[in-house]
Amino acid sequence: MLSAILATTAIATGFPGTGAASAQDCDLVDQYGNCVDECDFGEYELDGECRPECPEGYEPDDVLGTCELDDSDTGQQITATTGKVTIDAIAGVREGQTFLISGKVQDKSGQGIPGAQYRIVIGTKGHDVMSKSGTTLAGGEFSQEFKAPDVNGKQEYLVYVSTPYGLGSRIFDVNESGCLIATAAFGSELAPQVQFLREFRDQRILSTAAGSSFMSAFNTVYYSFSPYVADYEREQPWLQAAVRAGIQPLLGILAVSEKAYSIVPGELGSIAAGLVASSLIGAVYASPVALAAARRLQRRGPALAVSLSVTVAILVASVLASALLNNDAAMTVTTSALVVATLALSTLAVASSVSRLVRKRDKNGDGALKLPLGP
């Protein structure tokens, strides 16, 4: 893969000549005269030599070894050989995750070029997936956010940054989102529990716009810490056992949520499943918080419950509106806020119930918690 990266960035300085000594002994040579069986990703074959492909919007000059940009505004051909473009490292990208592509446009002396127009293109071999354009900042820096596409397992992508001053490219991988902590707990991605979590995500959550938007925000947070937790977890049997025990209620909650989704499939089903899952997760996993806050919620609980209920209702309407308007950004914000509000509401409900039981115990006067035995 290193040869592909160097090959595509070599556009700015031209291709090596076809008279390499090794070409006499090989049917195909790479950019540096080494014998190869086939051209690498981001290259094409010409007269027995692997040459870098040009990004969309550029035409290759096989004689000069450059890529020429067709400027539609001026009709002029701009040869991209007067500077260089560097792209920062891209690592840890997973499907649905928002990631950043950044770098710098410089002249031949290494000085940043401000106000330079650039275009970032991400794609696979022969197919552009997404692109964005802009102008560089005062120091020649550029940056754009992208949302990683869905993949099956792992997919290799090539990013081109094209400017009138030079071209840059970098290869990076997009990995399928995995249940890292659960996989570490059960020891294998093939464990039934892990497969159930993955299938629920892929076949239910990611099948709708609302679910996909929420997962985009969730993955950004989850994958910021889960690889480190999973690595530590694999070395601690006690933690693996604790996670396995802690996941069991979640499996039951998601099974109930799946039933809610099957009743009303589509966007409404996704929202219903999300509400059920968030409510049950808050009720089950927030019990210690509810017990600690029981007495403090005696006065504020009812008013807070009303506020949260209204908030949840507004957010449900906002999610539906975002789906109708096909607004991804609004969808990501509203679905995330809906999950948080529903978790808070269900936690409050548990806390209020515990608070009422505590007050009944105090009224008994003997410190014992007495429950009615019959009607």
Side-chain angles (χ1 to χ4, degrees), residues 134-222:
T135 56
T136 56
L137 301 177
E141 300 87 357
F142 62 85
S143 64
Q144 292 284 357
E145 285 190 344
F146 291 87
K147 182 178 179 181
D150 294 339
V151 297
N152 183 14
K154 182 173 72 173
Q155 176 67 55
E156 189 176 66
Y157 285 87
L158 184 64
V159 54
Y160 287 102
V161 178
S162 56
T163 79
Y165 304 94
L167 303 176
S169 65
R170 181 180 286 274
I171 291 175
F172 68 99
D173 293 328
V174 174
N175 297 283
E176 183 178 19
S177 296
C179 305
L180 302 183
I181 296 177
T183 300
F186 291 98
S188 172
E189 292 185 351
L190 301 179
Q193 298 88 342
V194 179
Q195 289 186 352
F196 172 76
L197 292 173
R198 184 182 298 108
E199 290 174 0
F200 182 83
R201 179 200 65 195
D202 295 343
Q203 299 178 13
R204 297 293 184 264
I205 300 179
L206 293 178
S207 65
T208 63
S212 297
S213 297
F214 169 73
M215 286 305 300
S216 177
F218 175 82
N219 286 340
T220 300
V221 177
Y222 179 74

Side-chain angles (χ1 to χ4, degrees), residues 294-295 298 352-374:
R295 289 188 177 276
Q298 289 183 13
S352 298
S353 299
V354 173
S355 180
R356 285 194 294 271
L357 291 175
V358 170
R359 289 200 300 271
K360 286 183 179 180
R361 182 200 63 182
D362 294 340
K363 288 181 179 179
N364 290 333
D366 56 2
L369 180 61
K370 295 181 180 180
L371 301 176
L373 299 179

Side-chain angles (χ1 to χ4, degrees), residues 30-242:
D30 62 13
Q31 301 275 319
Y32 309 100
N34 300 316
C35 292
V36 294
D37 294 328
E38 60 182 8
C39 293
D40 209 340
F41 179 67
E43 299 176 343
Y44 72 99
E45 180 181 352
L46 179 67
D47 298 331
E49 185 180 81
C50 295
R51 299 193 173 191
E53 290 184 340
C54 292
E56 184 181 1
Y58 284 80
E59 294 295 332
D61 187 322
D62 294 328
V63 176
L64 298 177
T66 61
C67 289
E68 292 186 340
L69 173 64
D70 183 6
D71 189 334
S72 58
D73 294 332
T74 63
Q76 298 176 348
Q77 293 289 328
I78 303 174
T79 303
T81 57
T82 59
K84 64 178 181 178
V85 177
T86 57
I87 304 175
D88 298 334
I90 308 168
V93 179
R94 293 190 173 272
E95 61 179 4
Q97 179 183 358
T98 299
F99 65 101
L100 185 71
I101 292 178
S102 60
K104 191 173 184 179
V105 180
Q106 300 168 291
D107 58 24
K108 286 186 175 181
S109 65
Q111 296 296 317
I113 302 176
Q117 294 186 349
Y118 67 85
R119 184 178 182 219
I120 301 175
V121 180
I122 297 176
T124 56
K125 187 174 179 63
H127 176 62
D128 291 344
V129 177
M130 60 189 80
S131 66
K132 288 185 178 181
S133 300
T135 56
T136 56
L137 301 177
E141 300 87 357
F142 62 85
S143 64
Q144 292 284 357
E145 285 190 344
F146 291 87
K147 182 178 179 181
D150 294 339
V151 297
N152 183 14
K154 182 173 72 173
Q155 176 67 55
E156 189 176 66
Y157 285 87
L158 184 64
V159 54
Y160 287 102
V161 178
S162 56
T163 79
Y165 304 94
L167 303 176
S169 65
R170 181 180 286 274
I171 291 175
F172 68 99
D173 293 328
V174 174
N175 297 283
E176 183 178 19
S177 296
C179 305
L180 302 183
I181 296 177
T183 300
F186 291 98
S188 172
E189 292 185 351
L190 301 179
Q193 298 88 342
V194 179
Q195 289 186 352
F196 172 76
L197 292 173
R198 184 182 298 108
E199 290 174 0
F200 182 83
R201 179 200 65 195
D202 295 343
Q203 299 178 13
R204 297 293 184 264
I205 300 179
L206 293 178
S207 65
T208 63
S212 297
S213 297
F214 169 73
M215 286 305 300
S216 177
F218 175 82
N219 286 340
T220 300
V221 177
Y222 179 74
Y223 288 107
S224 67
F225 68 86
S226 60
Y228 309 103
V229 175
D231 289 341
Y232 179 76
E233 182 184 354
R234 294 186 188 95
E235 300 176 355
Q236 306 294 331
W238 68 269
L239 184 57
Q240 289 178 311

Side-chain angles (χ1 to χ4, degrees), residues 193-342:
Q193 298 88 342
V194 179
Q195 289 186 352
F196 172 76
L197 292 173
R198 184 182 298 108
E199 290 174 0
F200 182 83
R201 179 200 65 195
D202 295 343
Q203 299 178 13
R204 297 293 184 264
I205 300 179
L206 293 178
S207 65
T208 63
S212 297
S213 297
F214 169 73
M215 286 305 300
S216 177
F218 175 82
N219 286 340
T220 300
V221 177
Y222 179 74
Y223 288 107
S224 67
F225 68 86
S226 60
Y228 309 103
V229 175
D231 289 341
Y232 179 76
E233 182 184 354
R234 294 186 188 95
E235 300 176 355
Q236 306 294 331
W238 68 269
L239 184 57
Q240 289 178 311
V243 173
R244 286 196 297 269
I247 285 179
Q248 294 303 325
L250 177 62
L251 298 175
I253 289 171
L254 295 182
V256 174
S257 302
E258 193 171 25
K259 297 295 183 182
Y261 178 88
S262 62
I263 295 175
V264 187
E267 295 296 336
L268 290 176
S270 176
I271 295 174
L275 289 172
V276 171
S278 301
S279 298
L280 293 177
I281 288 172
V284 172
Y285 290 98
S287 296
V289 177
L291 291 172
R295 289 188 177 276
R296 294 184 179 182
L297 291 172
Q298 289 183 13
R299 295 182 178 180
R300 300 180 181 179
L304 187 57
V306 172
S307 299
L308 285 172
S309 298
V310 173
T311 301
V312 168
I314 294 174
L315 287 171
V316 169
S318 299
V319 170
L320 292 174
S322 300
L324 291 175
L325 296 174
N326 197 26
N327 189 323
D328 292 338
M331 182 79 75
T332 300
V333 173
T334 54
T335 53
S336 301
L338 178 59
V339 168
V340 173
T342 307

